[in-house]
Amino acid sequence: STGGGGTTASLGVDMRPRFLSLGIFALAPLAAAAAVAQSGDFVYAPGTQHYRLVTQVHHSQIQGGGRAPFEFDVKTTQLVTANITAKSRDTLQLELTVDSIDVSSELNAPQPDVKRLFGAKLHGLISPQGKIYAFDPPPGTSDPQLVALYGAFRRFLVSFPAKPIVVGMSWADTTVEHVKRAGFDVTARAVTLSRVANDTVVNGVHVWRVVRHMDIVQSGQHPQEGGEPVQLMGQGSLNAVQLLTH
């Protein structure tokens, strides 16, 4: 479509041009996330945990000429190992290892080759409550799939407020990122609402069940030599459930 003297494209949460995405994210720990309480506050504890991460994304592309939207679903299942070590009193070192990835879709098209990402390791620094201090690919990284992995796992851990956690409490986090992808200068704003839904037992261990909802709005442009820049717009949402010991 065209507007404002330039071309406008839509961009989904998965950063694929011309698509809007609605994601359902389920994080099922093979062993519950390591956490301890100090003075009633939640903190992540050093240790190694294994996760089965399932993401279901619905893509919807608007088509012209009065035609119905082009829609399809993609399911991605990942096995991930998270290793947390203490770096200092207020900083934890986070290492995520992608053990395996499986992608399935009803779309009649070749599936992406993800086997080369098996064993990929992502590194970052977080606060004891899960706030990200640093989580970016190494300088000079040119592999777009590795860059995308870092973006996808930035919100892997729940970021808790620095106060006692009780069932029923909720909080909001807002992040703004500026990235360059596929030639577009993109600004992405994400608002995440988190709520401790209940206290339950999994495999004999007491865990908090944390429900999260995220809304993402993206915008940007791609400069065109001798012409108007291509404008980009996108929005989407993500729902997640995570279990954490306490």
Side-chain angles (χ1 to χ4, degrees):
S1 61
T2 303
T7 302
T8 300
S10 62
L11 188 69
V13 174
D14 65 345
M15 302 306 293
R16 298 184 185 185
R18 297 173 59 81
F19 287 94
L20 298 180
S21 306
L22 296 178
I24 299 176
F25 169 92
L27 181 61
L30 302 182
V36 296
Q38 295 180 354
S39 302
D41 294 355
F42 176 96
V43 298
Y44 285 98
T48 300
Q49 302 294 332
H50 302 279
Y51 297 86
R52 181 174 181 266
L53 176 65
V54 179
T55 306
Q56 293 179 309
V57 179
H58 177 71
H59 298 260
S60 180
Q61 179 181 0
I62 299 174
Q63 301 190 100
R67 293 178 295 171
F70 173 57
E71 300 180 321
F72 64 94
D73 296 298
V74 177
K75 180 180 179 180
T76 303
T77 302
Q78 302 175 72
L79 297 182
V80 179
T81 298
N83 184 47
I84 296 177
T85 57
K87 185 176 177 64
S88 66
R89 184 181 61 83
D90 60 355
T91 303
L92 300 174
Q93 176 81 46
L94 172 66
E95 179 186 78
L96 300 177
T97 302
V98 181
D99 299 312
S100 68
I101 306 175
D102 179 72
V103 181
S104 61
S105 173
E106 59 193 20
L107 182 67
N108 186 20
Q111 298 300 320
D113 181 11
V114 295
K115 288 187 177 180
R116 67 185 188 86
L117 295 176
F118 289 13
K121 294 184 181 295
L122 314 178
H123 297 91
L125 299 174
I126 62 173
S127 75
Q129 285 78 33
K131 180 181 178 180
I132 293 176
Y133 291 150
F135 193 78
D136 299 291
T141 300
S142 58
D143 184 345
Q145 287 189 321
L146 183 58
V147 172
L149 273 182
Y150 268 91
F153 279 97
R154 282 190 69 87
R155 302 175 182 89
F156 181 75
L157 296 179
V158 178
S159 177
F160 281 87
K163 61 181 180 181
I165 304 299
V166 296
V167 172
M169 73 173 294
S170 60
W171 64 96
D173 296 297
T174 300
T175 60
V176 178
E177 297 178 273
H178 303 281
V179 296
K180 191 175 185 66
R181 291 175 179 164
F184 283 90
D185 295 314
V186 180
T187 297
R189 183 177 186 270
V191 178
T192 304
L193 300 178
S194 303
R195 178 171 59 88
V196 181
N198 61 290
D199 189 336
T200 186
V201 176
V202 176
N203 296 329
V205 178
H206 283 275
V207 299
W208 281 311
R209 181 172 176 268
V210 181
V211 178
R212 304 163 74 192
H213 175 83
M214 181 189 305
D215 289 313
I216 303 175
V217 176
Q218 301 170 112
S219 62
Q221 63 180 18
H222 191 315
Q224 301 292 305
E225 185 175 352
E228 294 287 341
V230 176
Q231 302 295 324
L232 176 147
M233 298 183 302
Q235 62 182 6
S237 62
L238 181 147
N239 294 295
V241 175
Q242 293 183 260
L243 305 176
L244 301 106
T245 63
H246 62 89

